[in-house]
Amino acid sequence: MTELVSTNPATDEVVAVLPVHTDEQVRAIVAQAREAAVWWRAQGYDGRRTALLAWKRHIVRHRGELVELMHRENGKPRIDATLELMLAIEHIDWNAKKAGKVLAPEKRKPGFLLANFSARVEHVPFGVVGVIGPWNYPIFTPNGSIATALAAGNTVVFKPSEHTPAIGRWYVEAFAAANPEAPVGVLSLITGYGETGAALCRAGVDKLAFTGSAATGSKVMAACAETLVPVVMELGGKDAAIVAADADIKAAADAIAFGAMANSGQTCVGIERVYVEAGVRDEFLAELTTAVSGIAPGSGPKASYGPMTMPSQIGIVRRHVEDAIASGGTAVVGGPESIGERYIAPVVILDPAHSSSAIQEETFGPTLTVTTVDSLDEAVKLANDVPFGLAGAVFSRGHAAEIVEQLDTSQISVNSVLGFAGMAALPLGGRGQSGFGRIHGPEGLREFTRTRAVATQKYPIPGVRLLSFGRAGWLNRFLPRLLGWLHGR
Ligand code: NDP
């Protein structure tokens, strides 16, 4: 196939036709990005800040166009597209303004032996960063890597998902429109299917940032391993919310309903499991049922969320729901009948087996399991007992800190859901099947640089030529004693 046709998941109407870039074309685009990297790096933090803020303003001024495109190509309601965009814009702004400070050279102590030296660490951009992104948050998610990598001084070649390539093209073209003086290649687009992503791994990039499923992530790592290209992996999740008996139950149910169902549940840090203490289980279920009953998918202005963006995901959601019920779970909201050809209405299943796929695998749909537990220790144990470790939520008035301490995830919201994703200063990443490396915040900026240690001799010490074959005999006799004196006592 030489063309990529993207369609509206609500209507199948064609949204855009884009090229499928060949391996050769991908290499050429990466080579162009390498040339542009010289110019981009020479802009320094101030120049890059100006360019990134101009890009930000351009996106915001033309947001109507972008939001409409996000609604058509991804299917999400316009207000959800606007919210996604707001979060992404926060990240561009933060990175543009903070990169210079976060990545400033750091002085280090040279130590006793080399006291006549000065020492510093510099944070140097890699050069060209390849970014492969998913479709669920087609701006926010890739932007987490792209804005960070650009602010750190890299140029970027971006491959959006085959389901949202026109959104990716709009975002990349906005950079050029806002920065007409920039050479081609500071931020470039390649489009196509999985093979185009694989080609990017092999096209000479200096680092690869991947966001997507664990299965594809391991393929990307294997391709990058051929040439030792370092990777950052932002993969899937199976996030749990723990509801303690002392929580504000109504508020917890309201937040969890949003965390689970928003964006049709197609959120890597969405809530897919709840562990609730037995004493408040019935109250929580009643509040959750009320919160969920007002939620309806659709394409119109009143829709709470849109269609499933990727049709093949519907089969996975169906399998998980059926498996949860077959394993002993009870459908308390919806059930297999909630799963349509494009839309899935909310499903809540009580007490499925811990081994069921609805508990152990990423569902990525508007479904939620609720498991009754006898204690918070049991809740933590079950919450941690999955292959993923991305994020989670804790609802408690008095026990939040102790639960946070024990949860084996990298992001946690307390008495809320998803809060960390909206804070540009906080890092985001996973462990286990949720990946490794960090995007967002100072940790994200450092992820897109390598360190360069610089040791400068400020003045020679007469007679003490430690790093020389001309070292004096007395010094050779003194060194063993010095070692014992310094470290042997
Ligand atoms: P996929 O893993 O299916 O695809 C991700 C990207 O990889 C797409 O651009 C895809 O291209 C591309 N790709 C596919 N095959 C290859 C290959 N062999 N080599 C290189 N690239 C390839 O994920 P989805 O798009 O379905 O996204 C959903 C997943 O992303 C979920 O698991 C979700 O949890 C995760 N995610 C994680 C986030 C995080 O920050 N941790 C944030 C958001 C999502 P194409 O689409 O053209 O096939």
Side-chain angles (χ1 to χ4, degrees):
M1 270 185 285
T2 55
E3 278 185 345
L4 170 61
V5 180
S6 91
T7 54
N8 182 329
T11 62
D12 291 338
E13 157 222 7
V14 172
V15 175
V17 180
L18 292 101
V20 173
H21 285 105
T22 62
D23 291 13
E24 217 167 278
Q25 287 169 323
V26 174
R27 277 191 178 282
I29 289 168
V30 169
Q32 201 169 40
R34 188 164 304 290
E35 279 177 33
V38 177
W39 181 86
W40 185 238
R41 200 160 158 179
Q43 301 310 298
Y45 291 110
D46 287 347
R48 290 196 289 273
R49 172 189 164 120
T50 304
L52 290 169
L53 294 179
W55 182 37
K56 175 193 85 163
R57 281 192 299 275
H58 181 96
I59 296 174
V60 172
R61 285 181 190 148
H62 296 81
R63 62 187 177 278
E65 240 175 73
L66 178 57
V67 163
E68 194 54 34
L69 181 60
M70 289 166 78
H71 173 62
R72 284 176 62 221
E73 196 178 48
N74 168 281
K76 63 180 65 191
R78 291 175 182 82
I79 186 61
D80 284 5
T82 306
L83 184 59
E84 176 181 343
L85 192 54
M86 279 183 81
L87 299 182
I89 289 295
E90 284 287 321
H91 283 266
I92 297 178
D93 185 75
W94 190 91
N95 280 292
K97 292 175 179 166
K98 303 291 183 195
K101 193 167 175 210
V102 171
L103 300 175
E106 299 162 44
K107 273 191 173 173
R108 297 281 168 92
K109 289 208 160 65
F112 177 76
L113 278 184
L114 296 160
N116 57 328
F117 278 63
S118 68
R120 72 173 186 278
V121 174
E122 298 173 350
H123 299 280
V124 185
F126 281 98
V128 183
V129 172
V131 175
I132 300 178
W135 45 264
N136 57 340
Y137 289 88
I139 293 287
F140 175 75
T141 297
N143 180 72
S145 297
I146 295 170
T148 319
L150 286 172
N154 305 280
T155 55
V156 171
V157 178
F158 171 38
K159 150 75 176 70
S161 163
E162 70 194 57
H163 300 286
T164 52
I167 299 169
R169 178 173 65 184
W170 194 100
Y171 168 85
V172 167
E173 286 178 356
F175 183 89
N179 293 287
E181 74 295 346
V184 175
V186 175
L187 174 59
S188 319
L189 181 80
I190 55 168
T191 49
Y193 299 91
E195 298 76 45
T196 309
L200 182 59
C201 300
R202 300 188 171 102
V205 292
D206 302 297
K207 178 137 187 169
L208 197 292
F210 174 80
T211 308
S213 62
T216 309
S218 70
K219 287 186 201 162
V220 167
M221 277 183 76
C224 288
E226 290 169 17
T227 45
L228 294 176
V229 171
V231 292
V232 44
M233 290 278 139
E234 295 293 339
L235 308 177
K238 190 72 196 175
D239 293 359
I242 293 181
V243 181
D246 70 344
D248 177 337
I249 300 297
K250 189 174 165 53
D254 179 70
I256 289 170
F258 180 80
M261 310 299 170
N263 208 40
S264 317
Q266 304 169 126
T267 303
C268 58
V269 288
I271 303 294
E272 299 206 352
R273 301 173 291 150
V274 176
Y275 296 96
V276 58
E277 284 199 278
V280 291
R281 198 271 309 272
D282 290 346
E283 184 190 350
F284 173 74
L285 272 185
E287 294 291 357
L288 183 67
T289 306
T290 305
V292 168
S293 64
I295 298 175
S299 192
K302 291 198 174 140
S304 314
Y305 57 80
M308 296 297 284
T309 309
M310 192 172 68
S312 58
Q313 195 67 27
I314 295 174
I316 296 172
V317 177
R318 186 188 307 282
R319 176 167 64 79
H320 288 191
V321 168
E322 290 174 352
D323 192 26
I325 293 170
S327 77
T330 309
V332 289
V333 175
E337 70 283 2
S338 309
I339 302 170
E341 278 181 22
R342 292 181 197 272
Y343 297 95
I344 301 180
V347 180
V348 178
I349 297 172
L350 179 64
D351 290 331
H354 182 64
S355 57
S356 87
S357 56
I359 294 276
Q360 295 294 331
E361 297 172 25
E362 186 179 45
T363 306
F364 230 50
T367 68
L368 190 61
T369 62
V370 177
T371 300
T372 317
V373 291
D374 291 329
S375 67
L376 290 175
D377 284 346
E378 187 188 359
V380 168
K381 188 167 170 275
L382 292 172
N384 285 341
D385 189 27
V386 295
F388 298 94
L390 193 54
V394 175
F395 293 86
S396 172
R397 289 190 171 96
H399 302 284
E402 70 206 60
I403 303 171
V404 166
E405 176 61 27
Q406 295 173 68
L407 271 184
D408 211 358
T409 67
S410 305
Q411 291 77 227
I412 301 177
S413 297
V414 176
N415 295 329
S416 177
V417 290
L418 310 174
F420 48 82
M423 297 176 195
L426 284 183
L428 182 94
R431 67 146 185 93
Q433 298 270 309
S434 296
F436 55 85
R438 294 294 179 261
I439 59 172
H440 299 176
E443 292 77 6
L445 280 164
R446 288 191 199 107
E447 182 78 48
F448 290 103
T449 59
R450 60 181 171 79
T451 55
R452 180 162 60 201
V454 183
T456 306
Q457 181 174 278
K458 293 187 293 184
Y459 49 83
I461 303 178
V464 184
R465 292 158 68 199
L466 191 63
L467 303 177
S468 164
F469 288 118
R471 196 184 304 124
W474 71 266
L475 189 53
N476 283 337
R477 289 189 296 280
F478 176 64
L479 279 177
R481 270 193 282 155
L482 179 66
L483 179 60
W485 179 65
L486 283 178
H487 298 293
R489 289 184 295 163

